[in-house]
Each structure stands twice: as structure tokens, then as C-alpha cells.
Amino acid sequence: MVHSAYDSFQLLTNCSPKIDAIASYGSKLLLGCSDGSLKIYGPESSDSDRSPPSDHHAPRKEQLPNLETIAVLTKAKGANVYSWDDRRGFLCFARQKRVCIFRHDGGRGFVEVKDFGVPDTVKSMSWCGENICIAIRKEYMILNSTNGVFSEVFPSGRLAQPLVISLPSGELLLGKENIGVFVDQNGKLLQADRICWSEAPTTVIIQKPYAIALLPRRVEIRSLRVPYPMIQTVVLQNVRHLIPSSNAVIVASENSVFGLFPVPLGAQIVQLTASGDFEEALALCKLLPAEDASLRAAKEGSIHIRYAHYLFDNGSYEEAMEHFLASQVDITYVLSLYPSIVLPKTTMVPEPEKMLDSTWDASNLSRASSGVSDDMESSSPQQLLELDESAALESKKMSHNTLMALIKFLQKKRGSVIEKATAEGTEEVVLDAVGDSFASYESTRFKKSNKGRGTIPINSGAREMAAILDTALLQALLLTGQSSAPLELLKGVNYCDVKICEENLLKMNHYAALLELYKSNSMHREALKLLHQLVEESKSNQSQLELTHKFNPESIIEYLKPLCETDPMLVLEYSMLVLESCPTQTIDLFLSGNIPADLVNSYLKQHAPSMQGRYLELMLAMNENGISGNLQNEMIQIYLSEVLDWYADLVAQQKWDEKVYSPTRKKLLSALESISGYGPEALLKRLPPDALYEERALLLGKMNQA
């Protein structure tokens, strides 16, 4: 995209005699004229080393100084091309079919180093590291300056003169007709991309970040960034010379001299941003001086935001999110583009339009356009219906794509946000532990466990941001139909807002994820209520098959296991729901959780008396030595009560028979005989005088043993 990278000023006009050669030294221009004279021009004032002011462009002609001869290289007589390596102080030049290399001795002379023969006249040359790239005949070659060995690169073209241009990186730009090819110091191609000039240039100079070429009727300026787009053209007639100077590019014709002065980078960046060439604007930001780091960061952030909006509005959602990331913009700024995402109410979400300066067209930031023009009002109902269906399909597709891009954005931001939130929570715990109770601090926060994150303290910046991110991420995952990802998010450390996420998970029937939400926020009672409901639904005829496999009584037991040490009463309360259907697993839960047997027995006696005996039976079977004498006596009392009720019923029916044994009577007799921890006196008093003789005998025997 074309913009003004250089301002053109005419420095000299109507020069006579005509200019044959031009050079720049510091702030001075040296003109070699056709009559053999040398003219030197300098700036009018000390301010002229910058871009010339608009009211005075011409440099001042200076007196010709006494030019003292420093060194004479007689061997260079007839040389037609040369190259100077300033870093090493090496000079190479070509004359006829020879290439000569001299080294500056550090004083006023040069020492010859090498002299190599070449196949033909050298038309262009340049140092490239310790090698020399030369153009002879119609091809480029690399000459090893140590041993004189040649290696071919590629043909230079049939029409245009060859060009060997050294780049600041040490690599080379070689001309082939109107194409510039990049090679390394050994002549190997660097990349497939080429600079394509509009015509074959006669000269090319490099002034980062631009390559400037002299064409027959104009000067062409292109970016050095792939794909090397056209930046600017400066139309100048009959120009023959193009050279770099300390602060400009000098262009000369036979009788005129022009200066191309670079437009300040800041002004170029503004131009490019306004015209929508964001990539080039960002590239120029990298060239801002190091001392302007804050300015550069601000400019880059603003450009990234604008570019992101441009990409978002044109359907490149993932690429847009990459630029939002690069801009370091607040998460809430990006989330304001997603009205379907509900955020915690304490969050102040900025509107995108408010974060851009007044030069930005707010209409570009619209989240979506209707895509329906005014003339559609006259369309038929059938056409409108088809359009509505098509628009709905496209909207659904766009919504999914935008949300997927948002998910990737949030996931990339999440690591650092969660790390800060966790550190903030740790700091609060430490402050609490050492007794930090400053009134100002206590007045703006409240104590809460790391597990329970249903509400975030208002002044908890990092955790509030984490809550925003995780709440939005969970909703985006749900809206894109992902089933396992929400569950994985909630299983790890997360700061999801309970109310918002609970509502969305219920709406989507993501019960497993909802259980994890409750669990991660220590809302165990809510989780167990839901789990019990799901287990009951799985038993009904209306339930789906997959629900049966996911939720069963064992699920409640598994959930209760970690709670045995922290909340045994809650474990007892909800274990009652599965004690009857899963007695063995439930008793094992009590045992593995180290819940005191007396506490369990007392709870059962009050809330599930029908299961008390079963519990004590299993306790005795699983851990005979672990049941106290009190509980043994309790179990036998339960057996005896059941036997006495059975005896009373049979007596009332006149069917009692001492030789008949019910299952409970058998248990009672077995317990009386095998258990030693009960008190026989109390049991003996409960027996009828004219029945249950076997039980009486065992009790009397027990008393005699005592």
C-alpha cells in the first residue's frame, strides 16, 4: 500500500557544465562535471543536516579545498568498478580481466594482498564476508578472496545490466532483469520470494527498511519485508545517478540534483495505520529508537487493536485474537465483543469504541452487520424466508468460529492470569497466618478458603480477572458443544463464577461438570443433592441409558470418601441414601474414613433404625475386634427386640412353638453364644418366663462364666 516514505526536494538546478558523477561525504555533495571540474556543496547552516526547510532548499557552494594525495594505487589505473570493506579495511577493484585486493595499512598507504585473473570484464562487484561477488558476462560468481576459486551462482539476465548490492545483514541482492534475488555470502538462495521492480533498475541502494531503485523514468521505493510491496514512486525525468548520503538519498540528472529525505517514522506509522496497512505500520514501529520504548509500545498496542478489529470484522477471527494478544489489551475489552458471554456483575466491561482514539471510525467496530440492503424491502416473502434461513446458518457458523477463536485467546492468556490469582490468594493466606489485620485491609476484603470461590473480593484484582476469564471460557466451551473440556477446566484450579456457570451448566445438562463446579467451591451439600437426584432419575423409566451408566449409588459413595475427615456428619447424612442399596460399600466407607462406630450407630439409631442392625452385623463381620462391647450389646438388644415382637405376634395367633427358629432368632442365638462383650443381666430381664428357654440358658451360662 503506497504511502509517503520520502519527501522530495530539488537541491540544485541548471548546473553547468553537466554532471557526470556525484558522491556524498558527510554533509557535503561532490559533483564531478563534464569539463573535469569538481564542485563541492555544503549545507547553508547547522540545521540543514536535517530535512531542508520548505523556504530554502539549495545548498551552498563551497571553495574547492586543497586536496592532498593520501595514496596512489598505480595498479588501479583503468579500474571500472570497486568495493570497499570498511569493517576490515579491504579494497577490491577490477580492471580488464583482473581482480585486485588491497588492505589499508592503518596509515596513509595500502598493501597489495591478492591479484586474481577472471574470465571476463567485471561489470559489478561487492564484498560478501570474506568472499567477493562479481558479475561477469551474463552470470554472477562468488570469488574466494583467499585462493581465487570461483563458484557459479546463476545467470544475470540478457538485457539489463547486472547489479550486486550488499545488504546491511551481509547478504546480497542480485539483479536479474527487473527481479531482485536474495543470496547468502556463499551465493546460495535465501528464500523463494523476490523483489519485483516495475522495470529493470540501473542502481539500487538500501536504506532500512526500504530498497530504493533508480528506474529510467522514476525512483521506486519498496519495502524490504516480504512480499516487498511498493511503498512510493517519485517521478523524475532523465535521472542518471542515485547515491546514499548521511541523512537522505541523492538523485541527480545531467543538470539537477534532488534530495529524498525520509519522512519521520512516527508520521509514516500514522499514514499506514490510517490507510489500513497495519503490517507495515507494525514493522516500522520496530525501528523506533530504543529510547522511545514506551512510545513504541503504545503505538504497537494501538495498531494491534485496530488491526484486530479489522480482521474480526472481516471474518479472520483467530488472527484477530493473535493481535489482541499482542496488544496486551485487557481481557474484558475482547469479551465486550461477545454479548452472549455473561460476566460477573462486579466487572466493568469497556466498550471497544471507547478505547480507540477519535480518528478511528466507530462504525468499523460493529459486531455484525445485517447484510440486508434497503432495496430488499420490496423482496417477496419467499425470498426473504430464504435469506433469513441463509443468514441464520451463516450467523451460526460465524458464532461458532468467533467462539473458537475466543477460546484459544483465553487459553493463551489463562496461564499467567491463574498464576497471578494463585499468588494473590497465597499472599492473603500468609498475611492471615502472621496476623496482618490492618483496618484498611480488613475493611475491603473478607476471609475465604481457596476452595470456595463463589464470590471474589472486590479489591482482589488478579482473582477477579481470573474469575472473568474462567467464567467466559467455560461458557465459550459450552456454546461450541465441547463436552469434555468444561469438565477438565473445572477439575483443575479454576475461578469460575458459581452462579453464572451453574445456570449455564444446568441449561446444557452438563451434570458431571456441574458436580465439579460445586466440588471445587466446597459446595458439597449442593453436589450431593444433585447427585442423589441424578441417581434417582437414572432409576426411572424416563431416564436415558447413558445417565444410568454415569450416575449410580456408588457415585455418591465415591463423592463422600474425601469428606469423611472434614465433614463426617454430612457423610452420615447422605450415606443414608445408599446404605440400603449398597450396604457393604457404605460400611466400608465408614471404616475407611475412620468415622467412629459409636457416631455412626447413634446416627443410624436416630435416622435409620431399620438399618442399625444391618450396620452392626456388617461391622462385626468385617472387623470383629473393632466393635466395642457397647455396640455388641446394642446389636443383641436389636435382635432380641425383633425376636420378642415375633414371639408376641405368634402368641397372639396361638401359633407359638418353642422349636421354631426365625432368621433373627438364629442370629440372636449365634450372637449370644459367640459374642462376649454384652451384659447378660439386662437381656435376661427382657425374656418371657415361659418361652425362649434356649436364649435363657445361654444367658445364665454367660452369667455363671462371669
Side-chain angles (χ1 to χ4, degrees):
M1 189 172 290
V2 177
H3 77 279
S4 295
Y6 289 85
D7 288 329
S8 174
F9 296 94
Q10 188 167 22
L11 303 179
L12 296 172
T13 185
N14 297 324
C15 291
S16 181
K18 70 178 183 179
I19 302 169
D20 279 346
I22 185 169
S24 171
Y25 182 73
S27 61
K28 293 180 172 57
L29 285 179
L30 291 78
L31 305 183
C33 300
S34 59
D35 62 354
S37 63
L38 175 66
K39 296 181 180 180
I40 301 177
Y41 291 84
E44 278 286 347
S45 66
S46 59
D47 294 335
S48 296
D49 58 347
R50 295 186 292 269
S51 297
S54 58
D55 59 346
H56 192 88
H57 298 164
R60 177 172 58 87
K61 186 173 182 180
E62 295 187 349
Q63 294 293 325
L64 189 66
N66 293 323
L67 299 178
E68 180 185 0
T69 300
I70 300 298
V72 176
L73 303 180
T74 56
K75 203 169 185 178
K77 185 176 181 180
N80 63 307
V81 62
Y82 74 94
S83 179
W84 168 250
D85 183 347
D86 191 60
R87 181 179 62 85
R88 298 187 302 153
F90 272 66
L91 172 70
C92 67
F93 57 84
R95 63 182 183 89
Q96 297 175 352
K97 296 182 180 182
R98 310 291 301 177
V99 170
C100 301
I101 301 174
F102 282 75
R103 175 177 53 82
H104 185 224
D105 63 6
R108 300 169 64 89
F110 286 82
V111 178
E112 184 174 356
V113 178
K114 295 287 182 179
D115 185 342
F116 298 113
V118 294
D120 206 341
T121 302
V122 177
K123 298 179 180 179
S124 182
M125 69 189 313
S126 177
W127 283 102
C128 50
E130 296 185 359
N131 297 327
I132 305 171
C133 182
I134 60 175
I136 56 175
R137 294 175 183 165
K138 293 296 180 181
E139 60 183 306
Y140 295 105
M141 306 183 79
I142 297 294
L143 170 64
N144 187 308
S145 63
T146 302
N147 55 28
V149 174
F150 287 97
S151 57
E152 296 182 357
V153 181
F154 57 77
S156 61
R158 292 179 296 177
L159 300 178
Q161 287 293 316
L163 285 175
V164 181
I165 309 299
S166 179
L167 301 175
S169 61
E171 297 156 351
L172 296 172
L173 177 65
L174 306 182
K176 186 172 184 178
E177 307 298 357
N178 68 321
I179 296 173
V181 181
F182 294 92
V183 299
D184 66 12
Q185 295 180 356
N186 297 312
K188 293 183 179 179
L189 293 177
L190 289 174
Q191 54 198 29
D193 299 286
R194 315 276 194 262
I195 292 184
C196 295
W197 309 101
S198 55
E199 296 180 72
T202 57
T203 307
V204 175
I205 62 173
I206 304 297
Q207 277 198 346
K208 290 188 69 174
Y210 303 120
I212 304 159
L214 179 63
L215 276 56
R217 290 177 294 277
R218 61 187 173 276
V219 174
E220 191 167 290
I221 303 166
R222 288 184 174 270
S223 171
L224 283 173
R225 291 180 59 255
V226 177
Y228 313 110
M230 173 82 76
I231 297 299
Q232 183 181 1
T233 57
V234 181
V235 177
L236 296 170
Q237 297 296 327
N238 302 317
V239 290
R240 300 171 55 193
H241 308 283
L242 177 73
I243 63 167
S245 73
S246 59
N247 65 325
V249 175
I250 305 301
V251 186
S253 63
E254 288 185 350
N255 55 13
S256 298
V257 178
F258 299 86
L260 302 182
F261 292 87
V263 174
L265 286 176
Q268 292 189 57
I269 292 169
V270 170
Q271 288 183 54
L272 290 165
T273 305
S275 61
D277 194 351
F278 303 107
E279 293 284 358
E280 195 66 33
L282 288 169
L284 290 188
C285 284
K286 302 296 183 187
L287 301 178
L288 288 170
E291 57 268 21
D292 294 335
S294 58
L295 172 64
R296 184 174 86 177
K299 282 185 175 292
E300 285 181 332
S302 175
I303 295 168
H304 278 300
I305 291 173
R306 292 190 176 193
Y307 195 11
H309 279 291
Y310 171 81
L311 293 167
F312 193 90
D313 291 342
N314 286 277
S316 299
Y317 306 115
E318 289 194 19
E319 193 176 350
M321 291 301 150
E322 290 298 324
H323 286 280
F324 278 131
L325 275 172
S327 72
Q328 298 295 315
V329 71
D330 195 83
I331 293 172
T332 55
Y333 178 83
V334 177
L335 290 174
S336 65
L337 297 173
Y338 293 82
S340 60
I341 301 293
V342 181
L343 302 181
K345 290 184 178 179
T346 56
T347 304
M348 298 300 294
V349 182
E351 289 296 324
E353 293 83 351
K354 295 178 182 178
M355 293 192 66
L356 299 177
D357 59 52
S358 58
T359 61
W360 183 248
D361 184 4
S363 64
N364 289 335
L365 305 182
S366 59
R367 293 175 181 166
S369 61
S370 65
V372 181
S373 59
D374 295 337
D375 60 1
M376 285 187 176
E377 293 180 3
S378 60
S379 301
S380 67
Q382 179 63 30
Q383 289 175 320
L384 289 175
L385 180 61
E386 292 174 357
L387 285 170
D388 288 344
E389 291 176 352
S390 175
L393 182 63
E394 185 63 28
S395 175
K396 184 176 181 181
K397 178 181 177 182
M398 184 196 75
S399 176
H400 182 273
N401 292 341
T402 58
L403 288 168
M404 289 301 295
L406 176 65
I407 289 170
K408 292 182 179 180
F409 169 80
L410 294 175
Q411 288 173 336
K412 289 179 180 178
K413 295 283 285 186
R414 191 171 187 270
S416 60
V417 172
I418 295 299
E419 183 179 352
K420 290 178 182 177
T422 304
E424 188 178 77
T426 303
E427 181 182 2
E428 183 175 299
V429 171
V430 171
L431 289 172
D432 287 344
V434 299
D436 180 21
S437 56
F438 294 111
S440 60
Y441 183 76
E442 292 290 337
S443 64
T444 55
R445 72 176 183 90
F446 62 90
K447 295 179 181 179
K448 57 193 290 298
S449 69
N450 285 336
K451 292 278 187 179
R453 293 182 291 270
T455 310
I456 301 296
I458 291 176
N459 73 325
S460 174
R463 279 175 287 175
E464 183 180 3
M465 187 58 66
I468 293 169
L469 189 152
D470 278 351
T471 303
L473 178 57
L474 181 68
Q475 292 176 78
L477 292 171
L478 293 173
L479 290 170
T480 51
Q482 301 187 50
S483 56
S484 60
L487 185 61
E488 292 303 314
L489 172 65
L490 291 165
K491 280 184 176 180
V493 176
N494 71 87
Y495 291 80
C496 290
D497 182 271
V498 174
K499 184 177 180 181
I500 296 172
C501 295
E502 178 185 42
E503 181 179 339
N504 281 273
L505 289 168
L506 281 171
K507 189 187 301 181
M508 300 285 189
N509 296 325
H510 277 270
Y511 299 118
L514 182 56
L515 287 171
E516 285 297 332
L517 175 69
Y518 289 146
K519 186 176 181 180
S520 66
N521 286 275
S522 298
M523 299 172 64
H524 303 302
R525 185 172 297 277
E526 289 79 0
L528 288 165
K529 284 180 181 178
L530 174 63
L531 197 50
H532 176 58
Q533 177 186 337
L534 295 171
V535 170
E536 291 302 310
E537 287 180 2
S538 70
K539 297 176 182 177
S540 67
N541 295 330
Q542 292 82 14
S543 65
Q544 297 178 353
L545 184 60
E546 62 267 21
L547 195 62
T548 305
H549 291 297
K550 284 185 179 179
F551 305 106
N552 48 42
E554 286 79 4
S555 302
I556 297 178
I557 294 174
E558 287 300 315
Y559 191 96
L560 290 172
K561 282 182 179 179
L563 304 179
C564 289
E565 293 185 6
T566 58
D567 198 345
M569 295 308 296
L570 185 66
V571 174
L572 289 172
E573 179 182 348
Y574 278 91
S575 64
M576 298 302 102
L577 303 175
V578 293
L579 182 58
E580 187 172 354
S581 59
C582 303
T584 304
Q585 295 96 317
T586 308
I587 302 305
D588 185 56
L589 168 69
F590 297 149
L591 289 173
S592 62
N594 293 321
I595 301 178
D598 289 325
L599 178 62
V600 176
N601 180 67
S602 175
Y603 195 90
L604 290 173
K605 191 173 184 178
Q606 182 178 357
H607 296 92
S610 62
M611 295 302 298
Q612 185 185 7
R614 177 65 171 153
Y615 164 69
L616 293 172
E617 287 176 2
L618 289 170
M619 280 289 294
L620 186 63
M622 296 171 67
N623 189 8
E624 182 175 355
N625 297 325
I627 185 168
S628 65
N630 180 51
L631 291 181
Q632 292 177 16
N633 191 67
E634 186 98 18
M635 186 178 70
I636 292 176
Q637 290 283 5
I638 293 171
Y639 288 161
L640 180 56
S641 296
E642 292 183 19
V643 169
L644 290 174
D645 290 341
W646 169 68
Y647 163 76
D649 288 341
L650 291 179
V651 169
Q653 300 173 29
Q654 298 182 352
K655 295 181 179 179
W656 169 250
D657 184 351
E658 184 70 31
K659 297 180 180 180
V660 175
Y661 296 90
S662 68
T664 306
R665 189 182 182 191
K666 291 178 181 178
K667 291 180 183 179
L668 176 61
L669 290 169
S670 175
L672 291 173
E673 188 173 3
S674 60
I675 295 176
S676 59
Y678 62 89
E681 296 85 355
L683 295 170
L684 194 60
K685 293 177 182 179
R686 297 183 62 190
L687 293 177
D690 54 352
L692 301 176
Y693 300 118
E694 192 172 347
E695 288 82 350
R696 183 181 296 274
L698 288 171
L699 290 172
L700 289 171
K702 182 75 170 180
M703 290 175 66
N704 291 333
Q705 290 177 9

